[in-house]
Amino acid sequence: MYSMDDVNAATEYFTDVLLTIINVHAPVKRIKCRSEQPKWITNEFLSLIDEKEHLCNIYQRCPTPFNDARRKLVQRRIKQMKRALKKAYIEDAIRDCRGDSKKTWRLIKSIWPTKSKSPVINKMHNDTSPESIADMLNSHFATAGLKVNQSTSPTSLMSRVYPDQEGRPQIETLSPQDIWTLLKELSPAKATGSDGISARLIKACSDAIIEPLHFLFNLSIRTEVFPDMWKSAQITPLHKSGPLNQPDNYRPISVLPIFSKLLERAVHNQLYTCLTVSGALSDQQSGFRKGHSTTTCLAEFLDVVYTNMDNAKYSGVLFLDLRKAFDTVDHEILLCKLETVGLGQSFVNYIGNYLTNRVQATKINNVSSGKLPVVCGVPQGSILGPLLFITYIACLSICRMTSRHFCTQMIRPLLVVATQ
């Protein structure tokens, strides 16, 4: 592998060898697991449950009023203890989550689980075949953004200029320490991509694969080619709202190979630093940025409103929802914008290759569709996708006038107009 110059051939060889080793030494097996015991349960509570079962058995053998009273007394104690233990656990957990919004939401979802957003789809339009439904959804997702863009002809608006490269940041190769950091920070809970290699297995054998990954990632960067094998996405449709038999009511989420996400993270770190240093990302952009969130968005919005109130002005607010936002990103315009904000040609070429030759297959009801090419948009569920999207819409923050304040927060632009 180390003598190969073709990153696609090297990637396929590495994947085949790794899968062979996994199938021999760590084959996938299905086992039944008992449900996890709630964390608030104590030994005292379990002892009380055992006592209740014992008293119930006694009552069944000898159903006297005395035995019935003993059984009901223990049942009341169990109910009171359960309420007190759950309350104490939730209060302690909320206290531990203070200052960490992700941890707080994870706790809330574990306590009050929501309904699944991936219901079983038995019919799409008038077709009930699982294979046809999967193919229909996949075709819709692959062409949805293209159909929207065809009505505006966006490629005629901008053209590549290939400016002078002197002083422009270029994409840099990685060190073994960079690879080690990427593997260390990888969450074992990441969804497994189309190659079947899980994040848990990758972390388990991280020491053995640092060297080959170091070679593959740097070969990819030097040749400005993102491996085609890692461009294959498995789409999971998430229901948004409306009838279940309408493709427009689903949002496509891309599940990519774990190695793809590791390489994307390495490129993302470099790209985000360059965009931040160059000032390409507006301070008003709160979405998909470290240190920013809906909280910073609301804080800035309220500051504008209160300032207008202090100056005896009204605040008119207009919320805009971008339809098919990620799916309608035009690749040519995006690459032109990356050049415009000052990125070097190696960066632009690499992102261009990352966006081309992408394919996807939709899996629904345990049935997978055939693969289709994706010629428009950035993949949802990827690492680079959100950063490329906010770079794509960064010019919206320029839309400022004396009496207007424009904020591109999260994915929805927010226009605040102040008048006397």
Side-chain angles (χ1 to χ4, degrees):
M1 182 185 78
Y2 297 107
S3 61
M4 295 181 179
D5 296 326
D6 185 344
V7 67
N8 288 315
T11 304
E12 290 178 7
Y13 178 83
F14 168 75
T15 303
D16 289 342
V17 171
L18 185 58
L19 284 174
T20 300
I21 295 173
I22 290 173
N23 291 334
V24 172
H25 299 284
V28 176
K29 293 183 179 180
R30 293 185 178 274
I31 59 174
K32 291 184 178 180
C33 298
R34 296 180 62 183
S35 58
E36 186 179 355
Q37 182 174 282
K39 296 181 180 179
W40 52 265
I41 289 182
T42 62
N43 291 333
E44 183 182 359
F45 183 78
L46 293 176
S47 299
L48 207 57
I49 294 290
D50 292 338
E51 183 180 350
K52 185 200 77 170
E53 293 178 355
H54 176 67
L55 292 175
C56 286
N57 291 334
I58 294 176
Y59 177 74
Q60 288 178 354
R61 293 194 302 268
C62 184
T64 63
F66 175 73
N67 288 336
D68 185 37
R70 291 173 62 195
R71 178 178 61 88
K72 291 181 177 179
L73 177 62
V74 173
Q75 286 179 339
R76 286 195 295 270
R77 287 176 58 194
I78 289 175
K79 188 178 295 186
Q80 294 171 356
M81 182 179 291
K82 180 180 179 180
R83 188 182 297 114
L85 289 174
K86 289 186 71 173
K87 181 181 178 182
Y89 167 74
I90 293 174
E91 289 176 349
D92 292 340
I94 292 176
R95 196 177 300 111
D96 293 338
C97 294
R98 189 170 297 169
D100 190 334
S101 59
K102 286 186 177 181
K103 197 174 179 181
T104 300
W105 279 110
R106 198 179 302 122
L107 172 66
I108 291 173
K109 290 179 180 179
S110 67
I111 298 173
W112 295 285
T114 57
K115 294 182 179 179
S116 172
K117 291 188 177 180
S118 299
V120 176
I121 304 174
N122 296 319
K123 187 177 181 180
M124 188 62 60
H125 293 313
N126 294 322
D127 205 325
T128 58
S129 168
E131 293 80 8
S132 298
I133 292 174
D135 287 333
M136 195 180 303
L137 282 172
N138 195 46
S139 177
H140 173 76
F141 293 147
T143 59
L146 188 61
K147 290 179 181 178
V148 174
N149 281 354
Q150 283 176 344
S151 61
T152 58
S153 301
T155 53
S156 63
L157 302 178
M158 302 182 72
S159 59
R160 303 283 294 277
V161 293
Y162 301 100
D164 182 19
Q165 297 300 302
E166 185 177 356
R168 287 174 171 256
Q170 308 291 339
I171 189 169
E172 299 177 354
T173 55
L174 308 173
S175 67
Q177 179 64 32
D178 295 330
I179 307 299
W180 182 85
T181 302
L182 291 171
L183 291 170
K184 181 182 178 182
E185 295 177 351
L186 175 65
S187 170
K190 290 286 185 183
T192 302
S194 57
D195 58 3
I197 304 175
S198 67
R200 189 176 299 276
L201 274 173
I202 291 174
K203 285 188 73 73
C205 62
S206 58
D207 291 339
I209 62 176
I210 286 179
E211 184 177 349
L213 285 182
H214 179 242
F215 171 79
L216 284 176
F217 286 8
N218 283 339
L219 179 62
S220 172
I221 291 172
R222 285 195 302 269
T223 58
E224 299 175 358
V225 175
F226 196 92
D228 288 340
M229 178 178 282
W230 295 346
K231 296 178 184 178
S232 178
Q234 179 177 287
I235 301 297
T236 301
L238 292 183
H239 183 247
K240 296 183 292 185
S241 60
L244 295 177
N245 62 347
Q246 297 297 324
D248 278 334
N249 295 331
Y250 292 88
R251 178 184 294 110
I253 299 299
S254 300
V255 180
L256 297 164
I258 301 298
F259 291 123
S260 169
K261 293 190 175 184
L262 290 174
L263 181 52
E264 284 188 58
R265 175 58 65 188
V267 177
H268 176 282
N269 292 341
Q270 295 188 40
L271 180 59
Y272 185 81
T273 300
C274 294
L275 294 175
T276 303
V277 171
S278 65
L281 300 179
S282 170
D283 292 337
Q284 298 170 329
Q285 175 61 46
S286 290
F288 310 115
R289 298 182 65 191
K290 187 177 181 179
H292 296 258
S293 65
T294 51
T295 302
T296 59
C297 170
L298 291 173
E300 184 172 359
F301 167 67
L302 291 175
D303 180 65
V304 173
V305 173
Y306 289 144
T307 300
N308 291 338
M309 291 174 62
D310 293 340
N311 295 325
K313 295 180 179 180
Y314 295 100
S315 296
V317 183
L318 176 63
F319 295 94
L320 305 177
D321 188 359
L322 303 183
R323 178 170 172 253
K324 304 291 182 184
F326 276 40
D327 297 331
T328 54
V329 173
D330 183 86
H331 295 169
E332 194 67 21
I333 292 179
L334 174 61
L335 297 179
C336 289
K337 291 195 174 188
L338 293 176
E339 288 177 343
T340 303
V341 300
L343 289 182
Q345 202 61 50
S346 63
F347 247 129
V348 179
N349 291 343
Y350 194 82
I351 297 300
N353 185 272
Y354 166 79
L355 294 171
T356 56
N357 298 327
R358 302 196 72 90
V359 294
Q360 67 177 39
T362 298
K363 188 174 183 180
I364 189 73
N365 301 343
N366 293 322
V367 175
S368 184
S369 69
K371 292 185 178 181
L372 289 177
V374 182
V375 297
C376 186
V378 292
Q380 301 188 51
S382 64
I383 304 297
L384 279 172
L387 179 58
L388 295 176
F389 174 74
I390 62 175
T391 305
Y392 188 74
I393 65 169
C395 59
L396 293 177
S397 62
I398 302 174
C399 303
R400 242 189 199 181
M401 300 182 194
T402 305
S403 61
R404 289 172 173 82
H405 186 78
F406 192 91
C407 308
T408 54
Q409 309 289 6
M410 305 310 289
I411 299 181
R412 296 175 176 81
L414 168 66
L415 181 64
V416 183
V417 182
T419 61
Q420 298 288 347

